[in-house]
Amino acid sequence: MQEHRVVIDTDPGVDDAIAILMALACPSFEIVGLTTVGGNVPLARGTRNGLALLEYAGREDIPVAAGAARPYRGSFRYSYRFHTPNGIGRRLPNPKTRPVEIGAVEFLAGALDHAPSGLTVIALGPLTNLALLLERYPESLERLNLLVVMGGAVDVPGNTTANAEFNIHSDAYAANLVLSRMSPTTLVELGACRQAAITREDVGNLRSSGRLGRLAAQILANWFARDEGRRRFEFYDPLTVAAAIDPAVMTVRRTGLRVELEDPELFGATLPDYGNPEAAVSHQVDTERFFGLLAETLGLRVQDRI
Ligand code: RIB
Ligand code: CA
């Protein structure tokens, strides 16, 4: 019996791809669909990558719904250097399938409406689709079991500005709306993600089993091979999926958060706000448990890590 009906909102992306493969390999997940958003790469490229990953995994049955191509204000600043223009850094056959006709927001609203025991949403990119869902279908959120977000930098430096993390900064207005209204939310932020990393040496000792695990290992090996200055790969999105699979993978602290929208220095920063619903914010990662989940789902083993 699968425990979680899940929609993954994503901007695939190297780490998104590994996270999606992990979710596909998780027996307790019933993946209702992928919804895509611009962010790491343009929406069309991310949507294509979502379709291609599902076809690679033989899961064409899982629908993909395309969402926002741009944030509430301005435009997305794509992250080609980290994710390459193709978004995954490993060629996948052109998908034969196409996204569904309806958009991501309508798809999310429908998935929530048809989730008798509720839905878990895992957000791995900018929060634009979720903010639009809040605005257009607020009543559907009554069937939100849990929102797990990769985003934010709480009491640690950002990765996009000194204070802001990429997903939140990419659409700070959307993120602020989501953090002020959606609950229960688990936030997997940079402080935790930096604890779940592998080194260039680890990749040399990476063992994988199965089709999905081998693809994940190739994606990681390609990422390091593209820039010899790269020393560590941090599992941002895979840790977020791991937190949805097994909340004990990290400890959390509970606090309301907001996103800074005014101060140019702090724009996109995730700051305490006790007037907002308390989120479970990541703290200490049980790295043995995390790498154990990578091994259990994808057969991905970092020697002498587990
Ligand atoms: O800051 C890391 C996040 O931004 C990850 O989700 C990565 O895929 C990018 O979207
Ligand atoms: Ca992502």
Side-chain angles (χ1 to χ4, degrees):
M1 160 65 181
Q2 285 155 319
E3 288 152 39
H4 299 277
R5 284 170 65 86
V6 174
V7 171
I8 301 175
D9 190 70
T10 177
D11 60 337
V14 167
D15 58 321
D16 300 69
I18 296 169
I20 291 166
L21 293 169
M22 209 173 156
L24 289 169
C26 174
S28 67
F29 275 7
E30 177 194 348
I31 301 179
V32 174
L34 298 188
T35 52
T36 55
V37 61
N40 288 326
V41 292
L43 176 68
R45 167 55 65 176
T47 304
R48 177 207 173 283
N49 289 342
L51 291 163
L53 284 163
L54 292 174
E55 283 188 28
Y56 180 90
R59 293 304 310 273
E60 298 89 332
D61 58 297
I62 296 176
V64 176
R70 63 186 59 76
Y72 267 62
R73 298 187 189 175
S75 52
F76 290 125
R77 304 225 316 259
Y78 306 126
S79 174
Y80 290 132
R81 207 176 91 60
F82 187 97
H83 296 275
T84 79
N86 123 317
I88 296 181
R90 196 264 195 195
R91 268 196 52 69
L92 287 172
N94 277 325
K96 300 179 194 62
T97 48
R98 297 190 48 68
V100 295
E101 287 299 311
I102 60 170
V105 176
E106 289 65 31
F107 182 89
L108 279 161
L112 282 159
D113 286 349
H114 295 95
S117 52
L119 187 74
T120 295
V121 177
I122 301 174
L124 304 177
L127 295 175
T128 316
N129 291 338
L130 295 178
L132 292 169
L133 174 72
L134 262 176
E135 287 187 332
R136 293 183 200 161
Y137 303 94
E139 70 291 346
S140 66
L141 295 173
E142 282 146 38
R143 279 172 299 289
L144 176 72
N145 269 351
L146 177 62
L147 170 66
V148 191
V149 173
M150 193 283 128
V154 179
D155 303 332
V156 295
N159 63 358
T160 300
T161 69
N163 301 293
E165 176 277 328
F166 179 84
N167 286 338
I168 303 296
H169 186 270
S170 292
D171 194 341
Y173 296 90
N176 192 49
L177 186 63
V178 168
L179 288 175
S180 68
R181 300 252 304 268
M182 279 177 114
S183 180
T185 296
T186 296
L187 192 79
V188 182
E189 47 77 60
L190 285 183
C193 295
R194 287 172 176 144
Q195 299 170 43
I198 58 169
T199 64
R200 177 179 289 275
E201 293 65 40
D202 286 332
V203 163
N205 303 321
L206 206 51
R207 296 289 167 269
S208 62
S209 57
R211 187 169 163 71
L212 305 192
R214 279 195 300 276
L215 176 59
Q218 285 162 8
I219 291 171
L220 287 166
N222 288 3
W223 185 83
F224 278 104
R226 253 193 319 282
D227 176 342
E228 60 186 27
R230 288 173 171 169
R231 309 304 318 150
R232 284 162 54 83
F233 179 89
E234 293 162 348
F235 285 95
Y236 308 109
D237 294 344
L239 179 62
T240 307
V241 166
I245 296 171
D246 176 9
V249 79
M250 63 185 193
T251 62
V252 296
R253 50 207 145 150
R254 294 190 176 284
T255 176
L257 289 171
R258 68 179 179 83
V259 177
E260 178 58 45
L261 302 177
E262 303 307 327
D263 177 341
E265 194 68 21
L266 288 173
F267 182 81
T270 35
L271 304 170
D273 182 328
Y274 305 111
N276 277 344
E278 273 196 350
V281 179
S282 57
H283 195 211
Q284 292 298 324
V285 175
D286 179 335
T287 51
E288 196 172 321
R289 207 168 178 116
F290 170 68
F291 285 104
L293 271 174
L294 268 185
E296 210 178 295
T297 52
L298 290 176
L300 212 51
R301 284 174 172 72
V302 185
Q303 272 184 337
D304 71 49
R305 282 297 187 91
I306 38 171

